[in-house]
Amino acid sequence: MRESWTDDRLDDLNGKVDAQHLEMRTEFRAIRGEMKDEFRAVRGEMKEEFRAVRGEIGAGFDRIDGRFDALQRTLLQIAGGTIATLIAGFAGIIATQL
């Protein structure tokens, strides 16, 4: 035999549904809070890592700049020495001709 749905039974069912709905909302709110905290932590870690990577890249470019500066000094020294040698050679040729 099938039971009939009385007003009391419907009220009980309605109360159970409301309670489950409230419980779900509470749990979703808690999970949402946990996710926000985790995302905030991940963002913080990413900022720290990006800051460290930027520092490493900057240091690498500084080393490269130093090497280019040294190369430029060496090239200027070679060019200056070559010019001085050419001037001395021409001066010697002119002096022997006179």
Side-chain angles (χ1 to χ4, degrees), residues 11-21:
D11 288 342
D12 287 343
L13 177 63
N14 192 27
K16 288 178 185 178
V17 169
D18 287 345
Q20 289 292 325
H21 180 69

Side-chain angles (χ1 to χ4, degrees), residues 38-92:
E38 288 295 322
F39 282 131
R40 194 173 297 120
V42 168
R43 282 188 196 116
E45 291 174 14
M46 287 174 58
K47 284 181 182 179
E48 289 176 21
E49 289 294 324
F50 286 142
R51 196 173 294 125
V53 168
R54 283 187 189 123
E56 291 173 11
I57 289 172
F61 279 123
D62 289 344
R63 281 194 307 272
I64 290 171
D65 285 345
R67 289 179 182 167
F68 277 123
D69 289 344
L71 178 63
Q72 185 178 14
R73 272 193 306 276
T74 302
L75 290 173
L76 286 173
Q77 289 170 348
I78 291 170
T82 302
I83 291 170
T85 302
L86 288 172
I87 290 172
F90 285 131

Side-chain angles (χ1 to χ4, degrees), residues 90-98:
F90 285 131
I93 291 172
I94 292 173
T96 58
Q97 295 297 323
L98 297 175

